[in-house]
Amino acid sequence: MIPGDGIGREVIPEACKVLRAMAEASRRKFDFVEFDWGAEKFLSEGVTLPAGAVEMLRNDFDAILFGALGDPRVPSNKHAADILLGLRFKLDLFVNARPVELLDPRLTPLRDRGERDIRMMIFRENTEGLYVGVGGIFKKGTPDEVAVQEDVNTRKGVERIIRYAFDYARRKGLKRVCMSDKSNALTFAHDLWQRVFAEVRKEYAEIEWRHLYIDTLAMEMVRDPGQFDVIVTCNLFGDIVSDLGAQLAGGLGLAPSGNINPESTSLFEPVHGSAPNIAGKGIANPLGAVLASAMMVEHLGWTANAENLRQAVRAALRENRVTPDLGGNLSTRELGDWLADQVAGQRAAQA
Ligand SMILES: NC(=O)c1ccc[n+]([C@@H]2O[C@H](COP(=O)([O-])OP(=O)(O)OC[C@H]3O[C@@H](n4cnc5c(N)ncnc54)[C@H](O)[C@@H]3O)[C@@H](O)[C@H]2O)c1
């Protein structure tokens, strides 16, 4: 567990409470180890990601449950970049999995759309593209200033995320994979995406493939989200359309994500940030963290347990047992307690 900063420190303990209830109900065992990496440690000790941390996580842990990083006292956000981007890059977590699943029809801003329309998985490439930090600024602060940010796409990087998307569709019995790029304008980088996609899809003859330019994808996700099962795209576009997807399914408080490398220790987190504007008030919505825990549990192979966690979240939404951001009046802790009770009750139902 890396709760991090702000509301990360409020929602992760609730998610762990629910996971403990789940473990007890199903006689599973979790060993939680908490790390205090975040703004406080950076400000008091100057430490961001401690030496040896990556090797330790890779060798000694099965998964990481992460809260959020970001603190107004660290305007540079250096600690967040070192810790979160450090883990993503050093553990080579090349898949950013962003499920978009409407758990209650009242939550979508789209008219006349329900759970069957808004159910897709977005895979964002997580280690390359415009986020690698290659570039520079020339003549900074002058009228002639030039800023260059390189878009790095490797054959290996593009191939493994596209293959992951097809493998996921096959594993889940999903019929359609859509690759989205901007190959009409980005004629080098996304030409590679086009060629790799054409090659890889041949190995998945039973899956219907489709290509959409990213601007068209954004429009189509709003116009008719039901046409998508799996979407795969690059780092920058994935960052944007996965947030669009999050809003289709009820917004930031609910959205989970996984940063995955099938051969390494993967990291699961709610999509939201540290929300300094509400931190410490006890009103943060823990559902995103609980749904991220469900992804983690599923990743560890406990599919039925993951579904139980999602059921508990669905029940909370149905019965309006929610925090103020969703129009309820429960505190973070009260909602965590309620969910833990639900999950504990699932034992009785199963027994
Ligand atoms: N993965 C991460 O660690 C991550 C992601 C995004 C932002 N951040 C950091 O978080 C800090 C704040 O960023 P921001 O304000 O742009 O984004 P944010 O997600 O923290 O907050 C955006 C808005 O949504 C609300 N909100 C977010 N999560 C909520 C929840 N669980 N329950 C109720 N309301 C919630 C906040 O109160 C705020 O009004 C910044 O330092 C930013 O860098 C970190």
Side-chain angles (χ1 to χ4, degrees):
M1 289 159 60
I2 307 174
D5 301 331
I7 64 167
R9 305 167 76 88
E10 298 170 44
V11 297
I12 293 302
E14 297 312 314
C16 287
K17 188 193 289 173
V18 178
L19 282 169
R20 282 199 180 91
M22 181 214 90
E24 201 175 311
S26 55
R27 298 202 184 85
R28 301 231 185 246
K29 192 171 173 305
F30 269 117
D31 288 325
F32 289 109
V33 181
E34 181 172 336
F35 296 100
D36 62 350
W37 308 336
E40 204 58 56
K41 192 176 182 73
F42 176 56
L43 290 169
S44 60
E45 300 170 32
V47 175
T48 55
L49 191 61
V54 174
E55 294 69 25
M56 174 193 67
L57 290 170
R58 192 187 291 123
N59 297 330
D60 302 344
F61 289 84
D62 296 307
I64 304 163
L65 186 58
F66 186 92
L69 287 170
D71 187 303
R73 294 172 300 166
V74 188
S76 68
N77 229 8
K78 176 179 165 40
H79 69 303
D82 280 8
I83 298 170
L84 188 53
L85 297 184
L87 291 178
R88 278 187 193 160
F89 284 104
K90 289 180 186 155
L91 290 171
D92 201 18
L93 305 175
F94 65 92
V95 180
N96 189 240
R98 293 278 300 263
V100 174
E101 187 180 0
L102 183 63
L103 296 176
D104 187 295
R106 287 172 301 171
L107 293 172
T108 184
L110 299 185
R111 194 180 54 214
D112 301 333
R113 297 288 180 195
E115 288 99 323
R116 288 169 73 187
D117 303 301
I118 301 175
R119 198 185 170 85
M120 66 187 97
M121 176 62 95
I122 301 177
F123 290 117
R124 159 188 173 191
E125 202 294 319
N126 212 22
T127 49
E128 302 193 339
L130 274 158
Y131 290 60
V132 294
V134 175
I137 297 178
F138 178 48
K139 297 188 180 174
K140 190 169 185 175
T142 74
D144 297 326
E145 180 163 351
V146 179
V148 176
Q149 195 91 39
E150 299 287 353
D151 183 6
V152 175
N153 296 261
T154 69
R155 170 100 202 175
K156 171 183 152 193
V158 175
E159 186 173 335
R160 65 184 182 176
I161 188 71
I162 290 178
R163 199 173 284 287
Y164 192 90
F166 275 106
D167 282 337
Y168 176 87
R170 179 172 276 172
R171 202 164 61 243
K172 293 279 180 183
L174 298 170
K175 297 270 174 305
R176 301 165 296 183
V177 171
C178 174
M179 191 278 274
S180 187
D181 64 20
K182 192 70 184 166
S183 47
N184 50 346
L186 306 180
T187 51
F188 307 119
H190 288 189
D191 182 66
L192 178 63
W193 280 76
Q194 283 287 327
R195 282 182 285 119
V196 172
F197 185 56
E199 233 175 79
V200 172
R201 70 189 180 223
K202 286 189 198 134
E203 297 169 33
Y204 301 83
E206 80 281 16
I207 294 168
E208 201 182 297
W209 62 268
R210 183 179 183 193
H211 167 260
L212 287 178
Y213 294 127
I214 190 67
D215 36 356
T216 309
L217 174 67
M219 290 193 288
E220 289 297 313
M221 280 173 65
V222 175
R223 192 185 65 80
D224 179 15
Q227 60 186 303
F228 300 107
D229 289 336
V230 176
I231 292 170
V232 57
T233 187
C234 65
N235 207 338
L236 174 67
F237 297 161
D239 194 358
I240 299 165
V241 293
S242 60
D243 274 15
L244 193 163
Q247 282 304 330
L248 296 182
L252 264 186
L254 279 166
S257 72
N259 297 267
I260 298 169
N261 179 335
E263 285 164 15
S264 183
T265 308
S266 297
L267 181 154
F268 299 84
E269 55 175 333
V271 167
H272 62 74
S274 57
N277 58 335
I278 58 164
K281 295 185 179 160
I283 54 167
N285 184 349
L287 295 182
V290 172
L291 291 170
S293 309
M295 286 182 84
M296 180 180 81
V297 162
E298 183 161 1
H299 181 77
L300 296 173
W302 303 348
T303 313
N305 292 108
E307 193 42 39
N308 283 353
L309 294 175
R310 291 191 192 103
Q311 287 295 357
V313 171
R314 276 194 200 96
L317 295 168
R318 202 171 46 240
E319 296 187 23
N320 208 27
R321 305 272 180 170
V322 289
T323 43
D325 57 305
L326 292 181
N329 56 12
L330 293 194
S331 69
T332 311
R333 193 169 297 160
E334 285 167 340
L335 180 49
D337 287 343
W338 192 86
L339 292 165
D341 281 352
Q342 287 287 305
V343 170
Q346 286 165 347
R347 170 181 38 184
Q350 282 166 359

